[in-house]
Amino acid sequence: MKLDLNALTTLAAVARARSFSGAADQLGVTRSAVSQAVRKVEDALGVAVLRRTTRSVALTEAGEALLDRVAPALAEIDAAAAAAAAHEGKPAGLLRLAVSSIAETFLSGDLLASFRAAHPQVRLDILVTDSRFDIVAGGFDAGVRLGEVIERDMIAVPVSEEQRQIVVASPAYLAAAGIPLHPRELTRHRCIGWRSSDGTAPYRWEFSEMGREFAVAVEPEVTTNDMSLMVKMALAGSGLTIGMSETFAPWLHSGKLKEVLGSFCPPLPGFFLFYPGRRHMPLKLRALVDHVADWRSMRKGSIRY
């Protein structure tokens, strides 16, 4: 049994896009070519690797097992090819990143815009997501998450300073409902909560007291996966909400939001750019890692959280 490398690459693209047309757009080929490549894999294996419906495409159990094994190898091949083909040693090609929606420093625009200016031959494909998944299996070069949730087998470099997760509300809400003095009191307040994705439980608000961590299972009156909506609802006086201090910084400075329970919200590791260790690190990824380090060095002392 011999599997075609190009067909496997196409199958991986279909799995990422969850559609034949999306994979065709990514690869710059026709939808028919994508279908033929998937059929070639299935004919070689003698089993179906995809489940197709009128609305979606998903991997079968056999397809998942196959890609779990071959995805890292495909990533290594792409990295080696990019390094070999880089014109005059310049970083080039598509750099795919999976970034947390609350990584304000990374997503502010300044870092990415300056990187693109320095490396115009590198194209960026950025998925903003709070779902946790294997970036290698997903076909991503790197990700950006809070340091405390990054897998230990990944290489991580800091993107931001230490963070604080804080609770905020509008002055109008606090005047009407009172200021909570302990996190346990949050269960008696109107709260605006967060969930990472559809079907997941609302986030349990985490705090620390005398060195001991604990969580409060608030019952949000509003739950969303959109931090910007949480900010808007808090500004409108709908209740207390929680998030990274840098997310709320503009409204804290203007006085439109007030922090509460600050003594229960200690610092935590900030955001990190992380990627798998490889013998042949792609030049485009090396360029981003170096750029992040230089960018942070230049901004040292000027960033306030």
Side-chain angles (χ1 to χ4, degrees):
M1 178 180 61
K2 184 176 181 180
L3 291 174
D4 182 274
L5 179 60
N6 290 328
L8 287 173
T9 300
T10 301
L11 174 62
V14 173
R16 290 195 301 269
R18 294 185 176 274
S19 76
F20 282 66
S21 57
D25 291 341
Q26 285 184 20
L27 299 173
V29 300
T30 65
R31 190 181 186 282
S32 175
V34 172
S35 296
Q36 291 174 15
V38 172
R39 189 177 304 114
K40 186 180 294 186
V41 174
E42 291 181 329
D43 288 345
L45 294 175
V47 296
V49 294
L50 292 174
R51 290 189 299 272
R52 307 163 179 83
T53 69
T54 56
R55 294 185 178 181
S56 65
V57 175
L59 290 169
T60 63
E61 185 175 350
E64 289 182 356
L66 174 65
L67 283 187
D68 281 346
R69 297 290 296 273
V70 304
L74 291 174
E76 286 286 347
I77 292 171
D78 287 343
H87 179 62
E88 296 180 354
K90 295 180 180 178
L94 181 66
L95 186 63
R96 302 190 71 235
L97 307 172
V99 183
S100 169
S101 67
I102 56 174
E104 297 284 343
T105 299
F106 191 85
L107 293 174
S108 66
D110 294 343
L111 188 157
L112 294 173
S114 59
F115 173 74
R116 282 282 299 120
H119 304 287
Q121 295 182 43
V122 178
R123 294 176 293 118
L124 297 175
D125 182 0
I126 302 170
L127 174 67
V128 178
T129 177
D130 294 304
S131 298
R132 294 183 63 179
F133 59 89
D134 187 333
I135 60 170
V136 175
F140 292 90
D141 296 287
V144 177
R145 292 178 189 154
L146 284 170
E148 60 185 19
V149 298
I150 295 174
E151 294 82 356
R152 292 185 178 181
D153 61 345
M154 292 287 169
I155 298 173
V157 295
V159 172
S160 73
E161 304 302 321
E162 282 189 332
Q163 299 287 302
R164 285 180 66 240
Q165 183 168 254
I166 63 173
V167 178
V168 301
S170 69
Y173 173 82
L174 295 174
I179 299 175
L181 301 179
H182 191 280
R184 303 294 183 196
E185 298 177 21
L186 291 171
T187 56
R188 302 196 295 269
H189 279 264
R190 291 156 53 197
C191 294
I192 304 159
W194 177 84
R195 73 169 80 242
S196 61
S197 60
D198 185 39
T200 60
Y203 168 72
R204 289 169 59 91
W205 295 18
E206 297 176 311
F207 301 95
S208 178
E209 184 175 25
M210 299 179 66
R212 297 177 60 185
E213 297 181 354
F214 65 100
V216 177
V218 302
E219 296 185 4
E221 294 187 5
V222 177
T223 303
T224 179
N225 68 334
D226 185 353
M227 178 57 68
S228 65
L229 178 58
M230 294 169 66
V231 172
K232 291 173 184 175
M233 295 292 289
L235 288 168
S238 290
L240 294 148
T241 195
I242 192 168
M244 293 299 153
S245 57
E246 67 176 13
T247 298
F248 302 123
W251 297 280
L252 291 171
H253 293 161
S254 68
K256 292 181 178 180
L257 290 176
K258 298 292 185 181
E259 179 184 355
V260 299
L261 303 173
S263 62
F264 299 93
C265 303
L268 67 156
F271 290 94
F272 288 74
L273 173 71
F274 68 97
Y275 53 94
R278 294 172 178 162
R279 288 178 299 170
H280 304 290
M281 186 176 182
L283 284 179
K284 57 189 178 182
L285 180 55
R286 168 51 61 192
L288 178 62
V289 171
D290 292 342
H291 186 82
V292 165
D294 293 341
W295 185 82
R296 287 194 69 239
S297 179
M298 288 188 295
R299 288 171 57 93
K300 197 76 171 177
S302 65
I303 301 176
R304 296 292 182 267
Y305 297 98

